[in-house]
Every structure is written in C-alpha cells, then in structure tokens.
Amino acid sequence: MLVKNIMLPKEKLITVSPKSTIGHALEVMNENKFLSIPVAEGEKFYGTISKDRIYEFYYEKCEDKQCFLSDFNVEVVMREDIPTILPMEQMEKAVHFLEIMNISFVAVIDNKGAFEGILTHHAVFEQFTSLFGLNKGQRLAVMAYDIPGQISKLSKILSENNADIISFVVVDPKSVIDVMEIVVRMRTDNFELIEEKVKEAGFKIV
C-alpha cells in the first residue's frame, strides 16, 4: 500500500514552528491531548517536539520554569532525526522506521522537499486491522507446509464451497520447520463443511 493513501495530510495536522516558545508548544499539546507534534512551517518540515523531550531538557538545563517556557524556542529542544518518505513509496518502509527508531511518526516529503504530512503508528495499525478483516465474518487459521501450490489449494476449497473471502493473510510463524500460517476471514453458511474439507486436504486447523 502506498504511503499517500494512509498518511495524515498536513492540512489536518496541528503543528508548531521552530520559533514557537516551549510554553506555546506545551499548551498546544495539552489542549489536544498529544504527546508530540510536528515542527513545520509552510512547506518545510523541521522535526518533532514531544513532552518527554521538553521535560528532559528542563530538568537537565533549567532552574526557572517560567523562564524556560517563555525564553526557549522549540528549535532548541526539537528532535531533528525524523526519517522522511515519499508519498508514492510503500508503507512497509515507513513501518520499518517506526519500529527501529522509537518515533511517533514518519514525515512524508515530496520529491521537491515539500512537507506533505505524516504517517503514524495508528494509521498503520488501522490498515493491519483492515487487512486481517477483524470482527468481520468467520475466521479460519491453518498451518501449511511452505511449498508451492498451498495457497491455491486452500483458495480452491473455499471457492468450491461458496465462501466469500474478506481477507487472506499469510504469516511466517518463524518455526524451525518450513511451515506457514494462513489466516482467512470469510462469509459463509458452510463453515463446518469447509473445516472438514480443509482437514481432508491435509491442512492443520489452529
């Protein structure tokens, strides 16, 4: 799935500029119940400011709270190493960044360097929920040997027994043997019959 299809466009974001005061940034985060927000101005993306980074900086550098809130700007505290991704790139690249870098979002920048929006953990989780078809239809999970033809074989059983497939996901269980888990969500009035046919075909239902 392309990043542009699930990102939050900048028009829907609440941001602060690098020259905003720390006090203003905290006020914005508190009003909107955010833990962090993008730092951007116009088409330029600078980084992110977060509550934990503000608190850490305050306890390390300052004694006067009011002075800190009013005299220090966001650019002094913001995190700048936020990875960027193009709108037409695949979501998987952004997921990799989210996983390894302990960040709230990945910034989406077009090929001219203009800020387009962000891709968040929440957006990714929503897509995985949709992909697995959670809370829709009936769930069938089987273990199969990781050999050619298994997916086609299972799909044929489902179609021959009038199953309306909602989602079809193959998962690597990281087993010591070459097996895969196939999770299917379907609408059917023949679920028990399908289970029997699947077992007869050599699949193990889990």
Side-chain angles (χ1 to χ4, degrees), residues 176-192:
V176 292
I177 57 175
D178 292 329
V179 296
M180 57 184 172
E181 182 177 354
I182 305 172
V183 182
V184 185
R185 284 274 178 178
M186 70 188 92
R187 297 185 184 92
T188 179
D189 294 325
N190 302 318
F191 190 72
E192 292 183 359

Side-chain angles (χ1 to χ4, degrees), residues 36-170:
S36 66
I37 50 177
V39 181
E41 196 165 36
E43 295 188 338
K44 176 70 173 175
F45 173 77
Y46 292 91
T48 181
I49 184 76
S50 62
K51 284 187 175 181
D52 60 349
R53 198 168 179 89
I54 290 172
Y55 297 150
E56 180 181 351
F57 187 89
Y58 169 70
Y59 284 115
E60 287 183 357
K61 308 290 185 182
C62 300
E63 295 181 1
D64 185 340
K65 178 180 178 181
Q66 193 56 45
C67 172
F68 173 64
L69 294 176
S70 60
D71 292 355
F72 283 89
N73 293 336
V74 166
E75 63 186 351
V76 177
V77 184
M78 69 182 185
R79 182 174 176 179
E80 300 178 74
D81 64 337
I82 304 301
T84 62
I85 191 168
L86 295 170
M88 296 302 291
E89 290 191 84
Q90 294 293 329
M91 179 184 73
E92 288 88 337
K93 183 176 179 180
V95 171
H96 175 70
F97 287 138
L98 291 170
E99 179 183 8
I100 66 171
M101 292 193 65
N102 189 30
I103 50 178
S104 300
F105 61 83
V106 175
V108 183
I109 308 294
D110 71 14
N111 54 16
K112 294 181 180 179
F115 180 46
E116 294 270 318
I118 63 174
L119 184 63
T120 65
H121 288 271
H122 179 71
V124 170
F125 291 146
E126 273 195 334
Q127 289 307 308
F128 276 106
T129 298
S130 176
L131 179 66
F132 276 92
L134 295 181
N135 303 318
K136 297 179 182 178
Q138 292 169 284
R139 179 181 183 273
L140 175 69
V142 303
M143 298 299 294
Y145 288 108
D146 190 6
I147 57 177
Q150 293 289 71
I151 293 175
S152 298
K153 183 178 177 181
L154 180 59
S155 299
K156 184 178 180 182
I157 295 170
L158 299 178
S159 62
E160 287 178 346
N161 290 277
N162 302 315
D164 178 16
I165 298 175
I166 300 169
S167 67
F168 202 110
V169 180
V170 180

